[in-house]
Amino acid sequence: MSESNTNEWIDIKKQFRTGLFASILITMFFQFLSYEPKNNIEPIQKIGVLENKPTFKEYHSKSHNYWIELKLINDKRIYEIRSPYYNFLKHEDFINEINSGDTILISEHNNNILSLSKNGKQYWDYEKAEVNNENSNRFLSLLFFPLIIICIIVLLLKKQPFLKLNNKVYKIRFDIIVLITFLITFIVLAENIPFQFIKNGQFMK
């Protein structure tokens, strides 16, 4: 292998080393979210009267955050509806039917509302929101796992591998292998882990 090829392979391995660390971090992060125990959460149910009509809030910085704030009479705390429940909100019904002075039943944990009902009507599907959130985290954690294996293989190789075909020698393009693997993994996971991608600030239809 020529010196130029050697230097090129060293640069490629540096890129894959970075890719390895990034893939591991992404995989571990979403694995943690996927299997984070939910049994430690003990929501509190309470009945209260709305002091004002719920307020839709949003904050724009590098990322956009959307949530809803609620205040109850004789309760100093501010309750919030955030993702993933925010995205599964029955938006039109909530706006038209939840008003100041209404008596509502909420289930909350640390001022975050997990469910909300009025006169027996639920305004989002709690279980569906939880399952969709877990599936999306599992999808993302598995999406990058094959890339970890490819990066490790590249880092273990001392020299640039070649493929001889019809008396011609070709470099094995690991960048193309990564791209193809990523696309195949995405398709396979999409078929086997159903979840709905909901853009931040939008509501499930």
Side-chain angles (χ1 to χ4, degrees), residues 66-87:
Y66 299 85
W67 71 99
I68 301 170
E69 290 186 356
L70 295 87
K71 295 181 181 180
L72 302 178
I73 294 176
N74 297 326
D75 191 335
K76 294 181 179 180
R77 290 183 291 177
I78 297 176
Y79 297 97
E80 296 179 346
I81 302 172
R82 290 185 175 269
S83 180
Y85 315 112
Y86 178 96
N87 305 102

Short mmCIF file of all heavy atoms in Angstrom, two decimals, residues 66-87:
data_model
loop_
_atom_site.label_atom_id
_atom_site.label_comp_id
_atom_site.label_asym_id
_atom_site.label_seq_id
_atom_site.Cartn_x
_atom_site.Cartn_y
_atom_site.Cartn_z
N TYR A 66 -43.21 23.05 22.91
CA TYR A 66 -44.63 23.38 23.00
C TYR A 66 -45.23 22.69 24.22
O TYR A 66 -44.91 21.53 24.50
CB TYR A 66 -45.37 22.91 21.74
CG TYR A 66 -44.87 23.54 20.46
CD1 TYR A 66 -43.78 23.02 19.77
CD2 TYR A 66 -45.50 24.67 19.92
CE1 TYR A 66 -43.31 23.60 18.59
CE2 TYR A 66 -45.05 25.25 18.75
CZ TYR A 66 -43.95 24.71 18.09
OH TYR A 66 -43.50 25.29 16.93
N TRP A 67 -46.08 23.40 24.94
CA TRP A 67 -46.74 22.81 26.09
C TRP A 67 -48.00 23.62 26.42
O TRP A 67 -48.26 24.67 25.84
CB TRP A 67 -45.80 22.73 27.28
CG TRP A 67 -45.46 24.04 27.94
CD1 TRP A 67 -46.02 24.57 29.06
CD2 TRP A 67 -44.46 25.00 27.52
NE1 TRP A 67 -45.45 25.78 29.37
CE2 TRP A 67 -44.49 26.07 28.44
CE3 TRP A 67 -43.57 25.06 26.44
CZ2 TRP A 67 -43.67 27.18 28.31
CZ3 TRP A 67 -42.74 26.16 26.33
CH2 TRP A 67 -42.79 27.20 27.26
N ILE A 68 -48.77 23.10 27.36
CA ILE A 68 -50.00 23.77 27.80
C ILE A 68 -49.92 23.96 29.30
O ILE A 68 -49.50 23.05 30.02
CB ILE A 68 -51.25 22.93 27.44
CG1 ILE A 68 -51.32 22.69 25.93
CG2 ILE A 68 -52.53 23.64 27.92
CD1 ILE A 68 -52.38 21.68 25.54
N GLU A 69 -50.31 25.14 29.76
CA GLU A 69 -50.32 25.42 31.19
C GLU A 69 -51.75 25.53 31.70
O GLU A 69 -52.62 26.12 31.04
CB GLU A 69 -49.58 26.73 31.48
CG GLU A 69 -48.08 26.64 31.28
CD GLU A 69 -47.34 27.90 31.71
OE1 GLU A 69 -48.02 28.89 32.09
OE2 GLU A 69 -46.09 27.91 31.66
N LEU A 70 -51.96 24.94 32.88
CA LEU A 70 -53.27 24.99 33.53
C LEU A 70 -53.10 25.44 34.97
O LEU A 70 -52.14 25.05 35.65
CB LEU A 70 -53.97 23.62 33.52
CG LEU A 70 -54.36 23.00 32.18
CD1 LEU A 70 -53.22 22.20 31.60
CD2 LEU A 70 -55.58 22.11 32.36
N LYS A 71 -54.05 26.23 35.45
CA LYS A 71 -54.08 26.66 36.84
C LYS A 71 -55.44 26.30 37.43
O LYS A 71 -56.48 26.50 36.79
CB LYS A 71 -53.84 28.16 36.96
CG LYS A 71 -52.46 28.60 36.52
CD LYS A 71 -52.28 30.11 36.69
CE LYS A 71 -50.90 30.57 36.24
NZ LYS A 71 -50.72 32.04 36.39
N LEU A 72 -55.39 25.76 38.67
CA LEU A 72 -56.62 25.40 39.37
C LEU A 72 -56.89 26.38 40.50
O LEU A 72 -55.96 26.91 41.12
CB LEU A 72 -56.51 23.97 39.92
CG LEU A 72 -56.23 22.86 38.93
CD1 LEU A 72 -56.10 21.52 39.65
CD2 LEU A 72 -57.30 22.79 37.86
N ILE A 73 -58.14 26.61 40.76
CA ILE A 73 -58.54 27.50 41.86
C ILE A 73 -58.06 26.90 43.19
O ILE A 73 -58.14 25.69 43.41
CB ILE A 73 -60.07 27.70 41.86
CG1 ILE A 73 -60.49 28.47 40.60
CG2 ILE A 73 -60.52 28.43 43.11
CD1 ILE A 73 -62.00 28.63 40.47
N ASN A 74 -57.54 27.77 44.06
CA ASN A 74 -57.03 27.38 45.38
C ASN A 74 -55.83 26.42 45.28
O ASN A 74 -55.61 25.59 46.16
CB ASN A 74 -58.14 26.74 46.23
CG ASN A 74 -59.27 27.72 46.51
OD1 ASN A 74 -59.04 28.92 46.67
ND2 ASN A 74 -60.50 27.21 46.57
N ASP A 75 -55.09 26.52 44.20
CA ASP A 75 -53.89 25.69 44.01
C ASP A 75 -52.83 26.59 43.36
O ASP A 75 -53.01 27.07 42.25
CB ASP A 75 -54.22 24.49 43.11
CG ASP A 75 -53.08 23.47 43.11
OD1 ASP A 75 -51.92 23.85 43.38
OD2 ASP A 75 -53.35 22.29 42.84
N LYS A 76 -51.73 26.83 44.06
CA LYS A 76 -50.71 27.77 43.58
C LYS A 76 -49.85 27.20 42.45
O LYS A 76 -49.14 27.94 41.77
CB LYS A 76 -49.81 28.21 44.75
CG LYS A 76 -50.55 29.03 45.81
CD LYS A 76 -49.59 29.45 46.91
CE LYS A 76 -50.32 30.28 47.96
NZ LYS A 76 -49.40 30.71 49.06
N ARG A 77 -49.90 25.88 42.30
CA ARG A 77 -49.02 25.25 41.31
C ARG A 77 -49.52 25.48 39.88
O ARG A 77 -50.71 25.67 39.65
CB ARG A 77 -48.89 23.76 41.59
CG ARG A 77 -48.10 23.45 42.84
CD ARG A 77 -47.94 21.96 43.04
NE ARG A 77 -49.21 21.34 43.38
CZ ARG A 77 -49.37 20.03 43.55
NH1 ARG A 77 -48.31 19.22 43.41
NH2 ARG A 77 -50.53 19.53 43.87
N ILE A 78 -48.57 25.45 38.95
CA ILE A 78 -48.90 25.52 37.53
C ILE A 78 -48.69 24.12 36.94
O ILE A 78 -47.59 23.56 37.03
CB ILE A 78 -48.01 26.53 36.78
CG1 ILE A 78 -48.25 27.94 37.33
CG2 ILE A 78 -48.29 26.50 35.28
CD1 ILE A 78 -47.34 28.99 36.72
N TYR A 79 -49.74 23.57 36.37
CA TYR A 79 -49.66 22.23 35.78
C TYR A 79 -49.40 22.35 34.28
O TYR A 79 -49.85 23.29 33.63
CB TYR A 79 -50.96 21.46 36.04
CG TYR A 79 -51.22 21.22 37.50
CD1 TYR A 79 -52.05 22.07 38.23
CD2 TYR A 79 -50.61 20.16 38.17
CE1 TYR A 79 -52.28 21.86 39.59
CE2 TYR A 79 -50.83 19.95 39.52
CZ TYR A 79 -51.67 20.81 40.22
OH TYR A 79 -51.88 20.59 41.56
N GLU A 80 -48.66 21.36 33.77
CA GLU A 80 -48.28 21.41 32.35
C GLU A 80 -48.62 20.11 31.63
O GLU A 80 -48.53 19.03 32.22
CB GLU A 80 -46.78 21.68 32.21
CG GLU A 80 -46.35 23.04 32.76
CD GLU A 80 -44.85 23.27 32.62
OE1 GLU A 80 -44.12 22.28 32.36
OE2 GLU A 80 -44.41 24.42 32.76
N ILE A 81 -48.99 20.25 30.36
CA ILE A 81 -49.16 19.11 29.47
C ILE A 81 -48.03 19.20 28.44
O ILE A 81 -47.98 20.14 27.65
CB ILE A 81 -50.53 19.13 28.76
CG1 ILE A 81 -51.67 19.14 29.78
CG2 ILE A 81 -50.66 17.94 27.81
CD1 ILE A 81 -53.04 19.37 29.16
N ARG A 82 -47.14 18.24 28.47
CA ARG A 82 -45.99 18.24 27.57
C ARG A 82 -45.95 16.96 26.75
O ARG A 82 -46.75 16.05 26.96
CB ARG A 82 -44.68 18.41 28.36
CG ARG A 82 -44.51 19.81 28.96
CD ARG A 82 -43.16 19.98 29.62
NE ARG A 82 -42.94 21.34 30.09
CZ ARG A 82 -42.37 22.30 29.37
NH1 ARG A 82 -41.96 22.04 28.14
NH2 ARG A 82 -42.19 23.51 29.87
N SER A 83 -45.00 16.91 25.82
CA SER A 83 -44.81 15.72 25.00
C SER A 83 -44.51 14.52 25.90
O SER A 83 -43.82 14.67 26.91
CB SER A 83 -43.67 15.96 24.01
OG SER A 83 -43.45 14.86 23.21
N PRO A 84 -45.01 13.29 25.58
CA PRO A 84 -45.72 12.94 24.35
C PRO A 84 -47.23 13.17 24.40
O PRO A 84 -47.91 13.04 23.40
CB PRO A 84 -45.43 11.44 24.22
CG PRO A 84 -45.36 10.97 25.64
CD PRO A 84 -44.71 12.10 26.41
N TYR A 85 -47.76 13.52 25.59
CA TYR A 85 -49.21 13.65 25.72
C TYR A 85 -49.74 14.84 24.93
O TYR A 85 -50.84 14.81 24.39
CB TYR A 85 -49.59 13.76 27.20
CG TYR A 85 -48.85 12.76 28.05
CD1 TYR A 85 -47.89 13.15 28.97
CD2 TYR A 85 -49.09 11.40 27.89
CE1 TYR A 85 -47.19 12.23 29.72
CE2 TYR A 85 -48.40 10.47 28.64
CZ TYR A 85 -47.45 10.88 29.55
OH TYR A 85 -46.75 9.97 30.28
N TYR A 86 -48.94 15.91 24.86
CA TYR A 86 -49.32 17.10 24.11
C TYR A 86 -49.68 16.75 22.68
O TYR A 86 -50.68 17.21 22.14
CB TYR A 86 -48.17 18.11 24.15
CG TYR A 86 -48.42 19.38 23.37
CD1 TYR A 86 -48.91 20.53 24.00
CD2 TYR A 86 -48.15 19.45 22.00
CE1 TYR A 86 -49.12 21.69 23.29
CE2 TYR A 86 -48.36 20.61 21.28
CZ TYR A 86 -48.85 21.73 21.93
OH TYR A 86 -49.07 22.89 21.22
N ASN A 87 -48.85 15.91 22.05
CA ASN A 87 -49.05 15.57 20.64
C ASN A 87 -50.26 14.68 20.40
O ASN A 87 -50.78 14.62 19.29
CB ASN A 87 -47.79 14.88 20.09
CG ASN A 87 -46.54 15.70 20.30
OD1 ASN A 87 -45.76 15.41 21.21
ND2 ASN A 87 -46.34 16.73 19.50
#
